[in-house]
Amino acid sequence: MESSFWLLLVLIATLAIMHIIQAQDQEGFISLDCGLPEDELSPYTEPYTKLNFSSDVTFIQSGKTAKIPVDVLTPYTTIRYFPDGIRNCYNLNVQMGDNYLIRASFIYGNYDGRNRIPFFDIYLGANLWATILYLDAQNGRRVDILHIPTSNLLQICLVKTGETTPLISALELRPMGNDSYITKSGSLQLEYCYYLSKSGSDIRYSSDIYDRIWVSYFQTEYWTQISTDLDVVSSNKHAIPKDVLKNAATPTNASAPLTIKWSPDHPDDQYYYYAHFAEIQDLQANETREFNVLWNGVHQSGPFIPRKRIIDTIFSTLPQLCEGGECSFQLIRTKRSTLPPLLNAFEYYKVVKFTQTETDESDVRAIKSIAATYAMNRISWQGDPCVPQQFMWDGLNCTSTDISVPPRITTLNLSSCDLTGSIADAIRNLTQLETIDLSNNNLTGRVPDFLGNMKLLSVINLTGNNLDGSIPQALQREGLKLFVEGNPRLCFSDSCIKPHKKKIVVPVVASVASAAIVIAILVLFFVLRNKKSTILQGQPRKSRMKLKFANKNSRRFTYSEVIQMTNNFQRVLGKGGCGMVYHGTVNGSDQVAVKVFSQSSAQGYKEFKAEVDLLVRVHHTNLVILVGYCYEGDHLALVYEFLPNGDLKQHLSGKRGRPIINWSVRLQIALDTALGLEYLHIGCTPPMVHRDVKTANILLDENFKAKLADFGLSRSFQCRGESQEPTVIAGTIGYLDPEYYRTGRLAEKSDVYSYGVVLLEMITNQPVISKECNIAEWVGSTLNQSDITEVMDPNLGGVYETNSAWRALELAMSCADPISSKRPTMSQVIIELKECIACENTRMNINQGLESQ
Ligand SMILES: *[C@@H]1O[C@H](CO)[C@@H](O)[C@H](O)[C@H]1NC(C)=O
Ligand SMILES: *[C@@H]1O[C@H](CO)[C@@H](O)[C@H](O)[C@H]1NC(C)=O
Ligand SMILES: *[C@@H]1O[C@H](CO)[C@@H](O)[C@H](O)[C@H]1NC(C)=O
Ligand SMILES: *[C@@H]1O[C@H](CO)[C@@H](O)[C@H](O)[C@H]1NC(C)=O
Ligand SMILES: *[C@@H]1O[C@H](CO)[C@@H](O)[C@H](O)[C@H]1NC(C)=O
Ligand SMILES: *[C@@H]1O[C@H](CO)[C@@H](O)[C@H](O)[C@H]1NC(C)=O
Ligand SMILES: *[C@@H]1O[C@H](CO)[C@@H](O)[C@H](O)[C@H]1NC(C)=O
Ligand SMILES: *[C@@H]1O[C@H](CO)[C@@H](O)[C@H](O)[C@H]1NC(C)=O
Ligand SMILES: *[C@@H]1O[C@H](CO)[C@@H](O)[C@H](O)[C@H]1NC(C)=O
């Protein structure tokens, strides 16, 4: 049966189209002359068909071109061949859901002078369409299929299956509309499209508006040809060319049936046939032509009388099997018929089932966009990205559970691909992505926020690039493994800001500052060691109880203990500067907050351990206690005491869903915070600077006692650890001392500034920074125009002692003075705050007195 495919394409070049009707518009046609250079030759109008053929250059990225020797007679003088890669694909835009006639032509023509006939496969998207074999060098092979694309992207791929090199001569697409040639399932691979005539020439465009190629076919031994010069009405949806219908065959033996037979390739092959009839003879009154249609000897339809010069089509509505290894279509005249049956044209198609669903179209578009962004030129990155599995693109992995479900891309691995530029925006459209590896490239710019919103993403490897900025908060979530080592300019916390202009100053000062912190901690450690008992006596009962963690046997946890204590990271408390914070329990009942770092710092284990060993001993009632730590391979975690009332920021914003804390509690929190800071500033010499005082770092215990968290711990070894040279000034925009930002000189007065901002926030509940105006400026300008009630947090409902409010406000404003020398010390702040509290208490006593009366 294979031989019935062979077609002498050379014939097409020599055939005379009988009537060239007025040129139909070739709307939606794609006619590619493969290998044609994209110059003045393209597009050209083929003289016989008047079809406009163009170069294929813009439809395929790979392959080489060659000319067919001049002595080979072919309509296509060039070819594209594919010495590289296994699968090479054309990309065509189509209308999903429409039926297309897709035609591919292959003429070897001994273009390589090797006389070696190639064989290979052709795929439509993810599915094998046909295997292409040749008989000899001169003859071509053509395959046609009626196919309804399931996406708007149609990929036609040539796949190498052996030693020989695939090639292609022409690729043509013709939209067929979608009301004919519709099957129950499967596409229709053309076997034959006959018009019954002895002419020996083919009929195609523009006689046929769909450009089917009608091949003349005649069994001269059995048939007699009849013809007409009159027009036949061809009005049915199959749009059969009038030229096709001007001829018909009838059996020469008037009582014999008209039979068309063929053998299927495989016993299971199924067929659809389309038989076209019109009476083209002038019948006498006493003459009739009536017949039945039989398939393999079984009656299919009829009796049927062809209408006079009007087309009728009889076709199978279900796929037909050929039993006994033979397919036979027969017309048998009825008893009352005076004339033999007649047939004008006959088509039959084999059903090809494309079972492999193609990759989700939005994934395909996204990955192609990514490939385009990075000008990736991988030979394997052609055709469907995921299927068939053996051709899956390098660096991808996909879901592949069920061939009837479109695969989705789950892994994108572009490690070591020389990528430059920023992280491609189109990645956001790979919505099922679980793993992304962009390591060892030269990517620049920021880590985009959208990565954090990709819910399924669990591994992100950005190691070894040149990214900068800070890592979005959204990426610091549970279950997400983020690897960012080797990005010297990247910072972990959102507290990073742009590198300082006076670049040289900053690293020097900052490293001095960091050294100062280490020294401060060292000193603090010895001071504490010596004074431990005294300090202990000063602790409230609760803290003393928790101190059991902070003794010399401070715990080092294994990672599995961390997993166990957090119940596999079940409950997220929040996001810290450098990682997620989870709830946990140790010793069965003591609650802890576990901060899990996204990745180990570049700093060595020794330094880390030394630092943690010191930090676990830092202790003050208004500083969060470090219970222990974990350092195991890539896993870094710090275990803190758990503070059930969360952070001050949540309370002020109302996010805790609880009543907003009242004025007197706010003052107490301000005092607690001030005490904690004072301890850092003067409880040890040289002074230790917190560097990141903000409402989010003030935690509240069950009695709303405030404790300062994140006191230089994590940042001092984490964010700095990314590179040897700290290039960023640490702090959070809005809280950052402008003088420190300007000079890079770090002093405890920077904490005072931040504290002032915190105090202003607690008084006013305004954003710390908005539209080029910071909170202090806002308070100043509001007070110039109106009184204190305008600046006070409306959530307080006016319930505060005005005098205490004024004092607190003035204190806050002096703390937030742009000039550091004008700011008070924390000790002065504490004295002033205590007086504020005294004022407020007077008011409360009076109120209570009034109520009891
Ligand atoms: C075919 O191409 C010729 C130029 O090569 C152009 O003039 C003509 O309009 C085109 N016809 C169609 C139907 O596109
Ligand atoms: C035919 O195609 C149109 C547009 O492409 C589509 O809306 C319609 O559902 C299709 N009809 C059938 C029977 O497939
Ligand atoms: C004509 O066909 C009939 C029916 O098939 C057959 O019986 C008869 O022998 C045929 N005649 C000739 C001359 O072949
Ligand atoms: C039909 O009628 C014509 C004369 O009008 C006659 O010659 C012919 O034999 C008839 N044919 C049949 C089948 O009766
Ligand atoms: C791709 O994913 C499948 C599961 O969908 C897994 O079995 C396979 O190992 C993965 N392949 C690679 C190369 O990661
Ligand atoms: C990505 O591919 C590289 C090799 O090209 C491999 O070493 C690395 O493990 C892969 N990454 C992932 C996440 O599979
Ligand atoms: C992502 O998909 C949307 C919708 O399909 C599209 O509009 C957008 O252009 C795509 N984004 C990128 C970067 O490809
Ligand atoms: C991330 O990429 C780097 C560099 O390719 C590699 O060494 C490391 O193992 C990767 N990590 C993971 C988890 O794949
Ligand atoms: C990375 O890119 C930058 C600029 O885009 C360039 O200066 C640098 O040489 C590149 N580095 C590597 C290793 O290619």
Side-chain angles (χ1 to χ4, degrees):
M1 189 58 198
E2 183 61 31
S3 62
S4 73
F5 282 113
W6 304 113
L7 182 83
L8 286 177
L9 269 188
V10 282
L11 274 181
I12 298 173
T14 53
L15 66 82
I17 297 295
M18 295 154 94
H19 295 271
I20 298 196
I21 311 176
Q22 74 289 356
Q24 303 274 348
D25 72 334
Q26 300 168 27
E27 202 189 329
F29 281 27
I30 297 174
S31 310
L32 304 182
D33 186 342
C34 303
L36 189 71
E38 198 183 26
D39 55 16
E40 70 280 359
L41 278 178
S42 171
Y44 67 89
T45 306
E46 200 276 324
Y48 297 103
T49 59
K50 302 286 188 255
L51 284 166
N52 277 1
F53 278 88
S54 55
S55 164
D56 60 346
V57 167
T58 54
F59 298 89
I60 191 157
Q61 264 72 58
S62 55
K64 295 189 166 138
T65 63
K67 276 190 161 28
I68 302 279
V70 285
D71 56 326
V72 179
L73 195 55
T74 153
Y76 310 111
T77 55
T78 57
I79 59 156
R80 182 174 292 274
Y81 67 103
F82 303 97
D84 302 315
I86 301 295
R87 179 172 66 165
N88 288 273
C89 301
Y90 282 86
N91 294 290
L92 305 165
N93 285 316
V94 294
Q95 179 66 49
M96 181 171 103
D98 271 4
N99 204 4
Y100 281 85
L101 170 61
I102 304 166
R103 175 181 297 143
S105 304
F106 312 93
I107 297 156
Y108 170 54
N110 195 19
Y111 75 92
D112 55 1
R114 298 170 72 189
N115 252 319
R116 192 156 172 225
I117 296 140
F119 59 92
F120 50 90
D121 285 342
I122 183 166
Y123 276 71
L124 267 190
N127 291 279
L128 177 65
W129 167 11
T131 292
I132 309 299
L133 295 162
Y134 292 104
L135 274 186
D136 63 60
Q138 297 258 326
N139 294 343
R141 163 97 193 263
R142 194 187 93 208
V143 285
D144 297 54
I145 196 163
L146 293 163
H147 174 68
I148 301 178
T150 52
S151 89
N152 294 316
L153 292 173
L154 181 68
Q155 301 185 315
I156 300 178
C157 306
L158 298 149
V159 173
K160 194 170 182 150
T161 53
E163 300 291 292
T164 57
T165 302
L167 64 83
I168 186 163
S169 303
L171 192 56
E172 295 162 87
L173 257 77
R174 315 292 182 225
M176 302 288 290
N178 60 2
D179 54 2
S180 60
Y181 301 104
I182 300 300
T183 64
K184 286 266 184 278
S185 71
S187 299
L188 295 177
Q189 156 95 21
L190 176 69
E191 298 273 299
Y192 266 106
C193 180
Y194 291 139
Y195 77 107
L196 306 196
S197 157
K198 292 183 200 168
S199 77
S201 59
D202 297 348
I203 298 175
R204 63 179 292 187
Y205 191 81
S206 59
S207 284
D208 188 327
I209 57 163
Y210 294 137
D211 194 25
R212 286 160 293 195
I213 298 178
W214 299 87
V215 178
S216 79
Y217 173 69
F218 213 78
Q219 299 176 13
T220 41
E221 197 182 337
Y222 302 110
W223 297 349
T224 300
Q225 180 173 330
I226 55 175
S227 305
T228 180
D229 285 334
L230 299 171
D231 264 0
V232 176
V233 178
S234 172
S235 58
N236 79 9
K237 58 192 177 186
H238 289 91
I240 308 302
K242 288 186 161 59
D243 296 331
V244 161
L245 298 173
K246 287 191 165 167
N247 302 289
T250 61
T252 309
N253 175 349
S255 51
L258 187 152
T259 305
I260 294 177
K261 281 187 186 175
W262 67 94
S263 314
D265 291 338
H266 300 287
D268 294 337
D269 283 350
Q270 296 182 326
Y271 294 89
Y272 278 85
Y273 63 81
Y274 299 83
H276 309 286
F277 310 92
E279 182 59 77
I280 55 171
Q281 279 186 324
D282 289 318
L283 303 193
Q284 305 300 316
N286 61 358
E287 289 179 320
T288 50
R289 194 193 304 279
E290 187 184 69
F291 49 86
N292 285 303
V293 178
L294 280 78
W295 177 261
N296 272 18
V298 177
H299 179 261
Q300 288 266 302
S301 75
F304 170 76
I305 300 172
R307 289 186 287 167
K308 188 167 182 184
R309 289 197 289 278
I310 298 177
I311 185 72
D312 279 303
T313 299
I314 289 176
F315 58 96
S316 44
T317 53
L318 291 172
Q320 305 293 316
L321 270 169
C322 301
E323 273 149 29
E326 188 176 68
C327 313
S328 132
F329 171 84
Q330 279 186 311
L331 303 178
I332 296 183
R333 65 187 279 182
T334 60
K335 286 211 175 72
R336 69 182 201 95
S337 180
T338 63
L339 294 170
L342 144 163
L343 180 62
N344 306 66
F346 185 73
E347 308 162 69
Y348 66 97
Y349 298 85
K350 188 163 87 177
V351 177
V352 183
K353 289 206 171 117
F354 290 161
T355 49
Q356 174 62 63
T357 319
E358 282 159 26
T359 302
D360 179 82
E361 188 178 334
S362 67
D363 277 9
V364 175
R365 289 197 187 275
I367 195 75
K368 289 195 165 185
S369 162
I370 292 163
T373 303
Y374 295 125
M376 299 214 17
N377 217 359
R378 283 194 180 181
I379 195 84
S380 87
W381 278 41
Q382 299 191 57
D384 192 287
C386 297
V387 280
Q389 218 154 7
Q390 69 268 29
F391 305 134
M392 189 191 287
W393 292 6
D394 292 344
L396 298 190
N397 203 359
C398 306
T399 55
S400 56
T401 38
D402 184 345
I403 57 168
S404 64
V405 176
R408 302 299 303 259
I409 296 171
T410 56
T411 300
L412 176 63
N413 185 351
L414 299 180
S415 180
S416 310
C417 288
D418 292 328
L419 307 185
T420 56
S422 56
I423 293 179
D425 203 34
I427 291 171
R428 73 166 81 222
N429 279 359
L430 294 174
T431 55
Q432 301 292 305
L433 209 56
E434 293 163 11
T435 302
I436 181 165
D437 189 342
L438 299 176
S439 62
N440 289 335
N441 286 297
N442 194 4
L443 293 171
T444 49
R446 306 181 76 87
V447 178
D449 284 332
F450 68 75
L451 287 176
N453 303 329
M454 297 179 69
K455 293 284 174 291
L456 300 176
L457 210 47
S458 60
V459 177
I460 302 178
N461 195 345
L462 302 176
T463 306
N465 280 289
N466 206 0
L467 298 164
D468 59 32
S470 60
I471 292 175
Q473 281 292 316
L475 278 176
Q476 297 166 20
R477 67 168 157 84
E478 192 180 9
L480 177 67
K481 294 195 192 114
L482 178 67
F483 302 89
V484 291
E485 265 180 358
N487 286 277
R489 298 191 296 146
L490 191 64
C491 182
F492 257 90
S493 78
D494 63 341
S495 58
C496 317
I497 56 162
K498 288 216 173 80
H500 195 262
K501 278 192 187 122
K502 294 174 192 163
K503 254 192 170 160
I504 306 146
V505 178
V506 183
V508 176
V509 174
S511 31
V512 169
S514 322
I517 291 171
V518 174
I519 295 165
I521 294 163
L522 271 166
V523 171
L524 185 63
F525 166 52
F526 288 112
V527 169
L528 280 176
R529 267 244 296 222
N530 296 336
K531 292 194 178 166
K532 201 177 213 167
S533 52
T534 355
I535 289 174
L536 277 176
Q537 276 161 18
Q539 300 302 319
R541 212 190 69 82
K542 196 114 197 153
S543 306
R544 201 180 306 161
M545 195 184 75
K546 285 200 178 111
L547 257 181
K548 66 179 179 248
F549 295 124
N551 62 19
K552 252 176 104 185
N553 306 322
S554 71
R555 302 259 317 258
R556 176 165 178 200
F557 296 101
T558 64
Y559 189 60
S560 59
E561 279 174 315
V562 170
I563 292 174
Q564 198 183 5
M565 76 172 74
T566 58
N567 198 4
N568 200 18
F569 310 108
Q570 198 139 50
R571 189 173 143 205
V572 178
L573 294 175
K575 291 167 208 157
C578 299
M580 297 295 290
V581 183
Y582 302 92
H583 180 264
T585 13
V586 289
N587 303 338
S589 61
D590 293 324
Q591 297 193 81
V592 290
V594 183
K595 185 183 207 174
V596 178
F597 293 86
S598 306
Q599 196 183 15
S600 71
S601 84
Q603 231 168 327
Y605 168 70
K606 252 179 146 178
E607 204 175 337
F608 169 79
K609 187 170 184 298
E611 203 156 354
V612 168
D613 278 351
L614 287 173
L615 291 174
V616 283
R617 288 167 178 85
V618 172
H619 191 262
H620 180 270
T621 181
N622 297 114
L623 299 180
V624 169
I625 297 169
L626 188 67
V627 174
Y629 63 92
C630 162
Y631 181 89
E632 190 181 300
D634 270 358
H635 303 295
L636 278 188
L638 289 180
V639 183
Y640 302 99
E641 66 173 318
F642 173 66
L643 294 164
N645 267 321
D647 69 56
L648 178 59
K649 188 178 182 175
Q650 296 169 330
H651 283 277
L652 290 176
S653 66
K655 273 199 187 125
R656 297 284 296 193
R658 290 178 199 170
I660 304 275
I661 44 188
N662 68 30
W663 179 242
S664 92
V665 174
R666 286 188 202 196
L667 287 176
Q668 188 56 48
I669 290 170
L671 179 60
D672 290 342
T673 309
L675 287 165
L677 273 178
E678 185 199 33
Y679 173 78
L680 288 177
H681 291 176
I682 60 167
C684 41
T685 5
M688 179 167 169
V689 184
H690 184 286
R691 293 205 296 171
D692 202 10
V693 178
K694 56 180 177 180
T695 47
N697 281 344
I698 296 168
L699 305 185
L700 302 171
D701 77 0
E702 60 274 38
N703 302 318
F704 282 86
K705 187 168 103 177
K707 290 178 176 235
L708 208 43
D710 253 352
F711 42 106
L713 292 180
S714 44
R715 220 178 30 257
S716 65
F717 66 80
Q718 187 63 33
C719 291
R720 182 164 58 87
E722 285 304 318
S723 75
Q724 292 310 319
E725 43 165 50
T727 52
V728 290
I729 293 177
T732 300
I733 294 165
Y735 295 91
L736 192 66
D737 173 10
E739 199 173 285
Y740 165 49
Y741 179 58
R742 215 169 45 245
T743 64
R745 211 173 302 125
L746 185 67
E748 81 278 3
K749 285 289 179 72
S750 293
D751 278 352
V752 178
Y753 179 88
S754 310
Y755 178 83
V757 174
V758 167
L759 201 49
L760 286 172
E761 214 182 339
M762 292 171 72
I763 297 168
T764 65
N765 207 358
Q766 292 292 321
V768 294
I769 195 150
S770 66
K771 289 191 197 133
E772 312 297 321
C773 160
N774 69 34
I775 192 166
E777 288 161 355
W778 178 83
V779 169
S781 73
T782 310
L783 281 180
N784 272 346
Q785 289 155 22
S786 50
D787 69 353
I788 191 166
T789 53
E790 285 302 306
V791 297
M792 296 298 286
D793 180 3
N795 291 318
L796 290 167
V799 185
Y800 47 82
E801 208 278 325
T802 310
N803 203 20
S804 82
W806 265 116
R807 292 182 80 145
L809 198 56
E810 278 166 6
L811 177 63
M813 290 298 275
S814 67
C815 289
D817 197 297
I819 299 158
S820 65
S821 59
K822 290 193 180 168
R823 297 173 203 152
T825 63
M826 286 320 293
S827 306
Q828 291 168 324
V829 168
I830 288 164
I831 294 167
E832 186 60 25
L833 271 177
K834 283 183 174 163
E835 288 176 20
C836 285
I837 291 172
C839 278
E840 176 63 14
N841 286 347
T842 323
R843 180 191 69 85
M844 295 212 295
N845 290 341
I846 291 168
N847 280 353
Q848 278 161 10
L850 286 174
E851 272 162 30
S852 56
Q853 271 172 12

